[in-house]
């Protein structure tokens, strides 16, 4: 199933009045450290704190009147849950979110706070996607997948479209990669607007399925990788995102959790922005000099900022000084 | 000594190409919580992490060629030190900063990193202002005071000018207050552009000298107040800022350290911005409902983001949950 720049442009028309046009920030300290001119697209300032709102709103707004009346269902314990819940509330579409019963209380409450119905399950005894599809069938709900859907991908691509419109042409664009929705959408937008821009995805080293898939041209899967980048614990690229990544992305890089934590707190300390671990993946690859950026104009997507502060504080104090 | 909107407008011409035009952020969660429409002017994203750059650059750029050659001196262990150091480097003006020898290593290094010469003193045995004036006389340096100077005040006022230009007319403008440079500059700008805007300064409760001075119309002084808002530990308003505050400011409010800490972390968690305690003073007054903001358009100056992350982490983990 192809997704084109036209889809991204149309998604942008749909979400423009509802999503935030997040700021593009620069840092002379990061520029000095990397030798590059860096433009950070700050999706941590997006509604509900992550880029996920773009895709969710784009998907929900294209449902038929009947589908909207019946409602939507999503399975996620992370940002996609809050994105579907918030987009549902804004569009008057009832949203049901399937979450593990041991999901952090703060995430359950945030999702419920956006007006969604939460259905919990025992993660030891049930598979969440089966449960979601069963509920969807029983109640006539539309399933909104977290990344492997053309409307989701097109919505996420609007982040790169805005970045290039605001920052100008780039030599390199670095994008975090979990299931590949953000990465493939951004690559489609970047390659259309800025054909010479190298698009590079960044993954956690323990969850390097997309990197291996990219280099071997065969879909690899990883099971529950241990990484602090919880948004990139997805088992593999999707049926739709994998071929899009193969076609539009130029390279994939990985970073370790130690590198990621250091980069995340550098963004907090120097750029004064709160970024979640997954949200710092692309910035980390740049700061750790995993690619040659000197003299280049580099775009970096900061994908989200939803991090438990107490968790972060504990990790910070445990770091070697 | 009067400072007028013309001075602010001319300062803006001088600094415009060198300071960042910091973003104005909104938060639907803060709006929901306060019933107001709130515009945050994010000076934590300013060069060197605080509004202080505006005044310092404006002051240094108006020195004569000879004064620039000889250099400047400032006494500060905080953001003013870094501001003078950075503005000095950008303008090719040698900067000497007088700091207590027990100043945090990170601040000494940051200031030295901007190319300033650091002169330390024993805070038990010497007064920093005397030392600075002695050095200034010996070496022919120009003293750049932290707030009580028309060029500093005019420079700081550009923050409110930009805020009103970007956000539109406001009903209320809330500004942190230490020595009153930012507050009086912002009040001058706001009252000119937006005569019906109420301008309110916010201080820490333990360092409420400006609030008492404002209400009694007599200059009060407080000695080394204990507060986490280190930028507002100044003993009193200045000879120039006090009358300006009396003339242009409508009210003064105070917040406790407990309230301030809570507000600061709310900004981190919900708005994804790293704000230092002093930088959160104005936001805190709003969030703690110290004034009636419902239905109003409220501007809030976030004055800086230079906070030691390990300190903040320790305070966060010690807070009651």
């Amino acid at each position: 199933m192809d997704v084109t720049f036209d889809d991204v442009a149309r998604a942008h028309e749909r979400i423009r009045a509802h999503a935030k046009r997040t700021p593009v920030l620069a840092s002379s300290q990061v520029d000095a450290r990397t030798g590059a001119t860096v433009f950070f697209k700050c999706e941590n300032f997006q509604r509900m704190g992550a880029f996920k709102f773009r895709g969710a709103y784009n998907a929900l707004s294209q449902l038929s009147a009947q589908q909207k009346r019946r409602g939507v269902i999503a399975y996620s314990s992370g940002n996609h849950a809050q994105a579907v819940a918030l987009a549902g509330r804004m569009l008057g579409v009832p949203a049901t979110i399937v979450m593990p019963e041991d999901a952090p209380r703060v995430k359950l409450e945030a999702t419920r706070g956006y007006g969604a119905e939460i259905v919990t399950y025992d993660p030891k005894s049930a598979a969440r996607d089966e449960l979601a599809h069963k509920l969807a069938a029983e109640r006539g709900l539309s399933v909104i997948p977290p990344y492997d859907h053309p409307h989701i991908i097109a919505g996420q691509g609007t982040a790169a479209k805005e970045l290039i419109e605001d920052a100008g042409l780039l030599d390199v664009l670095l994008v975090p990669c979990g299931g590949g929705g953000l990465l493939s959408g951004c690559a489609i937008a970047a390659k259309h607007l800025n054909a010479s821009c190298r698009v590079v995805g960044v993954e956690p080293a323990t969850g390097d399925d997309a990197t291996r898939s990219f280099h071997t041209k065969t879909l690899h899967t990883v099971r529950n990788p241990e990484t602090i980048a919880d948004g990139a614990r997805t088992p593999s690229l999707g049926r739709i995102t994998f071929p899009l990544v193969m076609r539009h992305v130029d390279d994939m890089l990985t970073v370790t959790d130690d590198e990621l934590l250091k980069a995340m707190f550098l963004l907090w300390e120097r750029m004064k922005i709160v970024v979640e671990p997954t949200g710092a993946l692309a910035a980390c690859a740049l700061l750790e000099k995993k690619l040659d950026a000197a003299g280049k104009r580099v775009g970096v997507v900061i994908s989200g900022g939803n991090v438990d502060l107490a968790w972060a504080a504990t990790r910070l104090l445990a770091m070697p000084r």
Side-chain angles (χ1 to χ4, degrees), chain A:
Chain A
M1 208 173 317
D2 202 14
V3 181
T4 66
F5 180 75
D6 268 4
D7 297 313
V8 177
R10 263 183 256 117
H12 208 194
E13 291 312 313
R14 272 179 219 110
I15 72 171
R16 171 165 267 159
H18 311 284
K20 284 192 191 169
R21 190 172 186 110
T22 53
V24 175
L25 297 183
S27 161
S28 52
Q29 293 191 56
V30 170
D31 287 1
R33 186 182 279 248
T34 58
T37 306
V38 188
F39 302 91
F40 292 93
K41 176 63 170 172
C42 290
E43 287 293 298
N44 52 332
F45 296 143
Q46 189 49 266
R47 282 185 198 283
M48 48 64 55
F51 73 95
K52 290 278 187 185
F53 177 77
R54 297 176 181 269
Y57 194 95
N58 187 48
L60 264 65
S61 64
Q62 290 179 76
L63 296 174
S64 70
Q66 193 190 38
Q67 287 172 319
K68 282 182 180 159
R69 232 175 7 253
R70 286 184 169 169
V72 294
I73 187 165
Y75 42 97
S76 163
S77 52
N79 289 329
H80 180 58
Q82 293 178 54
V84 170
L86 176 58
R89 187 177 73 184
M90 291 169 74
L91 287 159
V93 177
T96 304
I97 310 290
V98 179
M99 278 187 165
E101 60 192 14
D102 60 355
R105 197 179 47 84
V106 54
K107 295 210 166 167
L108 285 165
E109 277 174 14
T111 308
R112 199 175 282 128
Y114 288 126
E117 181 190 342
I118 312 283
V119 176
T120 58
Y121 66 97
D122 176 358
K124 286 181 216 77
S125 66
R128 65 177 186 175
D129 48 346
E130 277 170 33
L131 178 59
H133 282 94
K134 184 168 156 280
L135 278 171
E138 282 170 16
R139 305 187 185 178
L141 307 174
S142 303
V143 176
I144 308 294
Y147 52 88
D148 211 28
H149 189 290
H151 298 171
I152 298 288
I153 296 163
Q156 321 303 33
T158 60
K161 179 171 181 283
E162 289 180 1
L163 169 56
I164 293 166
E165 285 170 358
D166 290 350
L169 295 184
L170 303 170
D171 299 309
V172 184
L173 174 63
L174 290 163
V175 186
C177 177
L182 178 65
L183 175 57
S184 59
C186 284
I188 290 161
K191 290 296 184 179
H192 178 92
L193 295 169
N194 190 168
S196 66
C197 178
R198 265 178 82 73
V199 178
V200 179
V202 185
E203 269 190 320
T206 52
D208 67 340
D209 54 283
T211 304
R212 287 185 286 136
S213 302
F214 179 81
H215 289 303
T216 61
K217 303 183 173 61
T218 314
L219 192 64
H220 284 261
T221 298
V222 62
R223 238 188 122 59
N224 287 325
E226 279 228 21
T227 170
I228 57 170
D230 52 349
R233 280 188 202 132
T234 37
S236 72
L237 294 172
R239 201 172 43 85
I240 304 170
T241 56
F242 178 43
L244 291 173
V245 165
M246 289 308 303
R247 190 161 0 129
H248 298 287
V249 171
D250 295 286
D251 203 0
M252 294 288 308
L253 297 170
T254 65
V255 298
T256 68
D257 272 14
D258 282 352
E259 292 169 335
L260 190 53
L261 211 55
K262 226 172 73 189
M264 184 182 89
F265 287 124
L266 187 136
L267 296 174
W268 291 38
E269 186 170 287
R270 302 296 168 87
M271 292 193 60
K272 319 300 178 192
I273 56 177
V274 173
V275 180
E276 63 185 90
T278 314
L281 280 166
C284 182
L286 174 71
L287 291 163
E288 290 287 338
K289 302 190 191 294
K290 305 267 174 176
L291 75 167
D292 180 20
K296 295 189 175 139
R297 292 171 57 84
V298 180
V300 170
V301 178
I302 299 286
S303 59
N306 291 330
V307 56
D308 183 89
L309 288 186
W311 173 87
T314 308
R315 295 303 301 247
L316 179 86
L317 295 174
M319 279 170 80
R321 298 254 115 202

